[in-house]
Amino acid sequence: MDPLFPEDAVSQHQVLARKWRPRKFASLVGQEHVVKALRHGLKTGRIHHAYLLTGTRGVGKTTIARILAKALNCEQVERDDPDPCGLCSSCLQIDRGRYVDYLELDAASHRGVEEMAQLLENAIYAPTLGRWKVYVIDEVHMLSNHAFNAMLKTLEEPPGHVVFVLATTDPQKVPVTVLSRCLQLSLRNMSPQAIAEHLSTVLHEEQIAYESDAINQIAKSAAGSMRDALSLLDQAISHGAGAVRSAEVLAMLGAIDRDKVALIMDALLDANPRQLCALAEEVCALGIDAAAVLQALAQLVQDL
């Protein structure tokens, strides 16, 4: 092992998307309507046997599933405050993926009827440690038709101690017979403002210097995904040698700065082809994608 990188330091480092993954309902960003529904169910004891979480990548489907599993099995949770404590043995083991009554299954790599039949056979047995067995099936639309058919009976009449949480980015591919047996919760894409605010909080806690314009650019490029935003933020910190600055972020994203867009717009309004050609050459020399320039121009027109 290189002495500059001791083994304990390497093992402790986490990318921001993992380090800042919410572990309680209170720390979730941008999905208040889903949190409200789940909190109400936990407070009143109206636990549905199957939930279907839908939404694009990086908006918190598996994160919400994990928090729900902790809330159902937390040793310290109270009816008035259904947030998991995050400190008891059950919460810690679920976070580490070692809880025997919690299973995450990726349907993209376990899509056959054999895997589904094995899961359902184990579901009939009572929980070993907690109050509930929670099965999370990610990208559930990838299951085969036979696997879906094998699920139907269990989804219709599940054991009283089992909760299924199905997550998908493409609910149109989930059979109607499965949809009708689930409580569907649709997660929204996060607004650039909400993403930018959260990134500012992260950088403040991490004690990393940043420029507001750089954060706003990352938030827009994330296209509604908090996970993508945090991954881009990690890249920006590396590009900026420990700081997040607009120039490095624009270069990293292959984006064009607003001043250059304004100059292009001025040249268009002045009907100045020579100036437009000069600006086009500058943009090409910077390696900026032409489609990104057109998108920035369209955004400027829309803002105006």
Side-chain angles (χ1 to χ4, degrees):
M1 177 66 70
D2 192 322
L4 292 176
F5 300 97
E7 187 173 356
D8 57 344
V10 174
S11 63
Q12 290 173 6
H13 176 72
Q14 277 188 315
V15 295
L16 293 177
R18 290 188 61 194
K19 184 176 181 180
W20 285 86
R21 187 175 193 173
R23 290 175 172 81
K24 295 184 177 182
F25 288 125
S27 57
L28 277 166
V29 178
Q31 306 298 346
E32 289 80 7
H33 62 296
V34 174
V35 171
K36 182 179 179 181
L38 292 175
R39 279 180 180 273
H40 177 74
L42 290 166
K43 283 183 179 181
T44 59
R46 297 174 63 87
I47 309 300
H48 205 277
H49 64 274
Y51 296 88
L52 177 66
L53 303 178
T54 65
T56 56
R57 80 278 176 273
V59 295
K61 296 184 295 297
T62 53
T63 294
I64 289 175
R66 190 171 294 180
I67 295 173
L68 176 61
K70 289 191 290 186
L72 289 170
N73 288 301
C74 179
E75 298 165 13
Q76 307 294 331
V77 73
E78 300 176 2
R79 180 61 63 86
D80 293 336
D81 183 14
D83 249 9
C85 69
L87 300 173
C88 68
S89 175
S90 296
C91 289
L92 293 174
Q93 293 302 318
I94 290 174
D95 277 333
R96 295 166 183 164
R98 300 172 185 169
Y99 196 66
V100 69
D101 293 320
Y102 174 77
L103 175 66
E104 283 188 23
L105 184 71
D106 180 17
S109 54
H110 299 83
R111 61 192 306 267
V113 67
E114 295 84 4
E115 292 94 335
M116 185 55 58
Q118 184 178 0
L119 182 148
L120 297 176
E121 285 176 8
N122 293 330
I124 63 174
Y125 299 110
T128 303
L129 297 175
R131 296 183 295 272
W132 299 83
K133 276 190 172 183
V134 182
Y135 293 104
V136 179
I137 305 179
D138 197 16
E139 298 300 342
V140 70
H141 66 273
M142 298 290 287
L143 289 177
S144 66
N145 289 331
H146 293 299
F148 274 125
N149 290 334
M151 287 178 62
L152 287 178
K153 185 64 176 176
T154 305
L155 283 179
E156 188 172 6
E157 298 177 3
H161 55 264
V162 173
V163 172
F164 287 95
V165 184
L166 314 180
T168 179
T169 56
D170 195 355
Q172 306 297 328
K173 293 183 179 178
V174 179
V176 176
T177 50
V178 173
L179 291 175
S180 64
R181 291 166 169 82
C182 298
L183 177 63
Q184 186 168 341
L185 300 170
S186 299
L187 279 67
R188 302 167 183 160
N189 281 2
M190 299 179 198
S191 67
Q193 292 81 9
I195 293 176
E197 289 176 7
H198 186 63
L199 295 185
S200 298
T201 301
V202 169
L203 290 170
H204 179 74
E205 292 294 326
E206 295 286 332
Q207 298 182 348
I208 295 173
Y210 67 94
E211 295 177 0
S212 296
D213 285 345
I215 296 302
N216 292 332
Q217 188 63 49
I218 290 174
K220 291 179 182 177
S221 299
S225 169
M226 186 64 77
R227 184 178 63 211
D228 288 3
L230 288 168
S231 296
L232 289 172
L233 186 61
D234 251 330
Q235 294 180 41
I237 293 169
S238 298
H239 277 267
V244 181
R245 293 181 286 265
S246 296
E248 282 87 354
V249 169
L250 288 170
M252 178 189 79
L253 297 174
I256 184 170
D257 65 69
R258 290 180 295 179
D259 292 339
K260 191 76 70 180
V261 176
L263 290 173
I264 294 173
M265 183 60 71
D266 288 340
L268 282 169
L269 293 173
D270 295 339
N272 188 339
R274 182 172 297 179
Q275 180 68 11
L276 274 174
C277 287
L279 288 167
E281 289 177 1
E282 288 181 30
V283 168
C284 290
L286 292 171
I288 298 171
D289 183 49
V293 178
L294 292 175
Q295 185 175 1
L297 282 168
Q299 183 65 51
L300 176 60
V301 172
Q302 184 177 7
D303 291 343
L304 292 172

